[in-house]
Amino acid sequence: MIYYSYSKTQLEKQALETLASYDKQLLVKPKQIDVYDVIEKLLDVPYDWKYLTPNQAILGATAFNPGYIWAWPEPVYREGMLPYKVPVEKGTILIDSTLTERGNIGRENFTVMHEVFHQVLHKECFRNEPPNYAHFSKNPEYDSNGHKKLKTAIDYIEFQANHCAACFLMPRDLVIETYGKMFSKRSYGVLKEIYINNLVREMAVEFNSSETAMKYRLDNLNILRKVGDGKYYEPVNV
């Protein structure tokens, strides 16, 4: 397996070009987005929902080759339960069904766009893999500082898809502009953590993403920073 050493600047450029190809208005104003419509318009590949694991360790998958994957009949393992084969066409995107069942629209959107960018960036990375190969997007490992571990080709491939998904759903300039309009020093001075959590929640809804993804995006843009064990964030400039 191979991977390409894209810089963050190159990844952001690719994400914004993809966003502009889909809807240029999303570069200037956040609005509701149907990520499955993105698949249909930009990729024209099949997509489906299955229980990919009985513990949600895997939330998305891309079939770079035709064949099959294994799925599960239920989202929680029961004794005697076995996976079953799911035939897939080349390019098929599969999303874990639990994301559609538990009000996880932000996480669902991020997972779908993660898989979209695997197809935009990584088709050549898997060209030497055997028939029936499907790439499963797993939850990343983190070091003691909360940074993703980047050691293997898969680590870099996953990071690149995550970064592009974040840049697509939460464009840099628009996030900075929106935060500037919504943030109040006075409210923060009174409510601190409660205010920041509410602000992040509102911005996540505005940008069709999850609260966790929005926190990471604001952190990466040097707008918020982690405090202590990382459970609390505070503004960089107050």
Side-chain angles (χ1 to χ4, degrees), residues 105-161:
I105 186 63
R107 197 169 188 187
E108 180 182 4
N109 287 345
F110 195 91
T111 301
V112 171
M113 292 313 306
H114 175 104
E115 298 304 327
V116 166
F117 280 104
H118 275 319
Q119 302 223 22
V120 171
L121 296 171
H122 300 136
K123 286 182 180 179
E124 290 300 306
C125 298
F126 299 95
R127 64 173 180 260
N128 295 324
E129 297 304 312
N132 290 331
Y133 180 83
H135 176 66
F136 291 89
S137 299
K138 298 181 180 180
N139 292 324
E141 293 184 46
Y142 294 88
D143 61 25
S144 59
N145 295 316
H147 299 131
K148 293 183 180 69
K149 292 181 179 179
L150 301 178
K151 295 181 179 180
T152 67
I154 287 293
D155 291 337
Y156 281 94
I157 285 168
E158 289 296 287
F159 168 79
Q160 291 166 3

Side-chain angles (χ1 to χ4, degrees), residues 2-215:
I2 63 172
Y3 75 94
Y4 300 101
S5 297
Y6 298 111
S7 68
K8 287 185 178 180
T9 300
Q10 289 174 314
L11 293 170
E12 184 162 14
K13 182 174 183 290
Q14 178 64 70
L16 294 181
E17 288 176 354
T18 304
L19 184 60
S21 296
Y22 175 68
D23 185 348
K24 290 182 179 179
Q25 287 300 310
L26 288 167
L27 292 169
V28 296
K29 183 179 180 180
K31 60 181 181 180
Q32 292 301 304
I33 180 173
D34 181 350
V35 290
Y36 297 102
D37 188 49
V38 176
I39 296 176
E40 293 173 5
K41 288 185 177 178
L42 298 187
L43 299 181
D44 191 27
V45 299
Y47 56 88
D48 202 352
W49 302 265
K50 301 292 180 184
Y51 296 122
L52 299 178
T53 59
N55 62 358
Q56 292 73 63
I58 294 171
L59 296 176
T62 291
F64 285 99
N65 298 306
Y68 65 86
I69 67 154
W70 293 95
W72 293 79
E74 297 179 23
V76 178
Y77 180 76
R78 293 185 294 104
E79 185 175 356
M81 191 168 69
L82 296 173
Y84 63 95
K85 285 184 178 182
V86 178
V88 291
E89 300 176 32
K90 184 176 182 178
T92 299
I93 290 175
L94 291 161
I95 300 300
D96 192 78
S97 295
T98 60
L99 292 179
T100 70
E101 298 170 347
R102 301 176 183 177
N104 289 320
I105 186 63
R107 197 169 188 187
E108 180 182 4
N109 287 345
F110 195 91
T111 301
V112 171
M113 292 313 306
H114 175 104
E115 298 304 327
V116 166
F117 280 104
H118 275 319
Q119 302 223 22
V120 171
L121 296 171
H122 300 136
K123 286 182 180 179
E124 290 300 306
C125 298
F126 299 95
R127 64 173 180 260
N128 295 324
E129 297 304 312
N132 290 331
Y133 180 83
H135 176 66
F136 291 89
S137 299
K138 298 181 180 180
N139 292 324
E141 293 184 46
Y142 294 88
D143 61 25
S144 59
N145 295 316
H147 299 131
K148 293 183 180 69
K149 292 181 179 179
L150 301 178
K151 295 181 179 180
T152 67
I154 287 293
D155 291 337
Y156 281 94
I157 285 168
E158 289 296 287
F159 168 79
Q160 291 166 3
N162 275 341
H163 192 70
C164 281
C167 293
F168 181 98
L169 291 171
M170 299 167 281
R172 171 189 295 268
D173 292 346
L174 196 52
V175 167
I176 293 172
E177 177 186 341
T178 303
Y179 176 85
K181 290 178 179 178
M182 295 176 68
F183 179 73
S184 163
K185 288 184 179 180
R186 181 176 181 180
S187 297
Y188 173 71
V190 174
L191 298 173
K192 298 290 185 180
E193 182 177 357
I194 294 174
Y195 178 73
I196 289 299
N197 286 338
N198 287 341
L199 175 61
V200 168
R201 187 175 301 113
E202 290 174 14
M203 290 190 66
V205 171
E206 191 84 355
F207 285 90
N208 307 283
S209 191
S210 67
E211 292 176 43
T212 299
M214 180 56 72
K215 280 184 178 179

